[in-house]
Amino acid sequence: MSHELTALQQYLPARFSTTADLPWIPSGTPGKSAKPLRFLPGGSGFVELLRMEPGVVMPLHRHSGEIHAYNLSGSRQLCTGEVIGPGDYVFEPPGNTDWWKIVGDETMVALVVVMGEVEFLGPGGVVRGRANAATQLAEYRQYCLAHRLPLRDIVE
């Protein structure tokens, strides 16, 4: 039986998360929260569900690594005018700088893979904040501790 189990393990996923067990972590921006799904090896990035309410703006920011975003619900309008709706996918290469806004009446939820760091920019391009695997993991741990929630095995 042990041999059968060992042979089967090569076909099983290395990790899985029941997302219902993971909390939505509110951000400093009202109407924006994230559900962390996985923190990637060596702090290289993270995977999350991003949730934003209608009218909320993702401020001007720059990516040091690539971003993959798949809209599950709701719509957002990019600073270049395109409206991204349910089922749409956006790839942002390293160095991409943009901002966007949630449009319509529905909450936007997107599956986002963030590699590297997101730098939030102020006037003159001054970096006024950063989000990366370390900052997001710290927020997740702090939130779970404050709300007496168990820490899930979502770190590589």
Side-chain angles (χ1 to χ4, degrees):
M1 190 64 144
S2 174
H3 175 69
E4 291 173 4
L5 180 58
T6 302
L8 180 60
Q9 285 178 336
Q10 69 179 326
Y11 300 106
L12 297 176
R15 304 277 192 280
F16 73 92
S17 297
T18 304
T19 59
D21 294 342
L22 295 167
W24 285 101
I25 312 297
S27 79
T29 302
K32 178 184 170 203
S33 59
K35 183 179 285 224
L37 301 176
R38 177 75 46 203
F39 295 98
L40 302 175
S44 61
F46 58 96
V47 181
E48 69 180 10
L49 289 176
L50 176 63
R51 181 174 69 184
M52 295 174 70
E53 300 300 323
V56 174
V57 173
M58 176 67 77
L60 184 64
H61 60 281
R62 176 176 51 229
H63 303 284
S64 70
E66 62 187 42
I67 304 295
H68 301 269
Y70 181 80
N71 258 55
L72 298 166
S73 64
S75 297
R76 60 188 174 118
Q77 184 171 17
L78 305 180
C79 61
T80 50
E82 297 91 353
V83 175
I84 308 303
D88 290 339
Y89 164 80
V90 176
F91 167 73
E92 298 179 50
N96 188 65
T97 301
D98 68 337
W99 62 269
W100 39 271
K101 179 180 181 176
I102 307 307
V103 295
D105 298 329
E106 188 178 353
T107 299
M108 192 265 330
V109 177
L111 173 64
V112 183
V113 178
V114 177
M115 301 304 295
E117 188 166 71
V118 180
E119 298 175 322
F120 293 95
L121 305 173
V126 174
V127 176
R128 61 178 184 83
R130 299 178 195 282
N132 54 42
T135 62
Q136 300 307 101
L137 179 57
E139 284 183 8
Y140 167 67
R141 287 180 171 156
Q142 180 181 8
Y143 184 87
C144 288
L145 181 64
H147 292 86
R148 296 188 172 120
L149 298 172
L151 289 172
R152 302 294 178 190
D153 181 20
I154 59 174
V155 179
E156 288 297 314

